[in-house]
Structure formats: C-alpha cells, structure tokens
Amino acid sequence: MLAPWLVQTPSSSSTPSTTVAPSPLATPVLPRLSFDDEEYALNREAFERFSILFGPFTWDLFASPNNAKCPAFFTRETHALAQEWASLGNLWAHPPCCLIDSVIGKLEAEPRALVTMITPHWPAAPWFPRLQHLATYQEVPGRHEGIFSDAQGRPLPSPHWDVLLSHVPRRMQGQD
C-alpha cells in the first residue's frame, strides 16, 4: 500500500534547483519526516491544471531534489515550517499528512502567505474546518486512476481517499 502523503513529482533536469538554509532566527521543534525509498507525485497534467488556475508557483514547500515542482524548494533538512512564507511569493504545498495541521497553523499565523495546497479530502480530520475557513477555493478532483504517478511518471492505482485542492490567498490583518 502506498503512503498517500508521499505524492510528489520529479523536477525537470533542465530546471536548476534552489534550496535554502533554515532561518537562523527560527529554532522550531519539527518532526523528522519519514520517506520511503521511492517518491510519488500528483501527475503532471493535474499539477499543470492547478498551475494555470493559481500559478505560477515560486516555491515548493515540501520537496526533494528529485521531486520538486518548482526551481526553488524546501526539503526536510531546510524545514519549510521554519521559514517566513509571506515573503516567498506564490507557494505550492503537498505536505505529509503528519504536517497538515502544522501547515494550517502556519497559514493562520501568517495571513500574508499565499499557498495552494493538496491534501486528502478528510472532512472528519480536526484540521479540515480550519482549512475550509482559510481557503477561498476548494476542489475535489477525486480519486480517479492516474491522478498520482511514480517518480518516473508512471500512473499509480487510485488512492483510497479523495484529493482536495485548496487555495489560501493572502489576507489582511484581522481578516478571519
């Protein structure tokens, strides 16, 4: 069985990658992310469609050199949650399930952040109403065959959960 939160895509070898060091001012206590040997991805067509709706994206918040969606990205070593998102532009996020609550907390704390993210569509999850409150657009593209692919771009079987795309725009201070 696939770990659904590992879904990510390989970056183009023609696109230079940029990573950043953790902020010297931030000393977060973050869980170590656990990745399998293989990396999985939202398929290219779905990502491109989301990019047309809300992109172009400047940073991929949860990536590796092998699966980054954007030329600039954060890895588990550079901790996206330790960075100031508001200054980074238009962000793409496909966080591991174990970090979704923390990502939503970060969005609540940084109203000037602009993030489009993909998560499981889990209405019973404690974080789900908070995400609905922040998002101005949500879509459930479903769980159709091939929405995810492996690192080589081969389609994977349908996940056992629906996918949720959420767009969280910048908010004015006090606008909640």
Side-chain angles (χ1 to χ4, degrees):
M1 177 185 234
L2 298 175
W5 55 270
L6 295 176
V7 179
Q8 297 174 348
T9 196
S11 63
S12 165
S13 58
S14 63
T15 304
S17 296
T18 304
T19 58
V20 299
S23 168
L25 302 176
T27 56
V29 177
L30 300 173
R32 178 91 175 140
L33 302 181
S34 174
F35 290 91
D36 286 345
D37 293 335
E38 297 181 81
E39 295 173 355
Y40 299 94
L42 180 67
N43 74 36
R44 181 177 305 281
E45 294 80 21
F47 179 74
E48 288 173 0
R49 185 169 132 341
F50 300 152
S51 294
I52 289 168
L53 287 171
F54 299 111
F57 300 109
T58 54
W59 286 83
D60 186 336
L61 295 175
F62 302 94
S64 76
N66 298 325
N67 68 17
K69 299 268 191 209
C70 305
F73 58 91
F74 293 102
T75 66
R76 59 184 169 185
E77 287 79 23
T78 56
H79 300 301
L81 292 171
Q83 311 306 318
E84 182 184 328
W85 291 358
S87 64
L88 297 175
N90 192 8
L91 309 176
W92 170 258
H94 186 168
C97 287
C98 64
L99 295 181
I100 293 172
D101 189 66
S102 296
V103 169
I104 294 168
K106 178 93 168 157
L107 288 168
E108 291 167 335
E110 285 195 43
R112 301 297 302 156
L114 172 62
V115 178
T116 301
M117 63 190 292
I118 189 166
T119 63
H121 182 255
W122 290 342
W127 50 261
F128 194 84
R130 293 169 46 225
L131 179 57
Q132 284 188 303
H133 178 73
L134 293 171
T136 58
Y137 176 91
Q138 289 191 308
E139 176 184 337
V140 181
R143 64 177 90 180
H144 58 80
E145 222 36 56
I147 194 164
F148 297 121
S149 58
D150 66 15
Q152 288 73 44
R154 296 179 297 239
L156 295 171
S158 173
H160 63 279
W161 44 269
D162 286 332
V163 171
L164 176 66
L165 174 76
S166 300
H167 178 70
V168 179
R170 290 186 169 106
R171 302 177 318 281
M172 301 303 287
Q173 291 291 77
Q175 177 189 355
D176 285 324

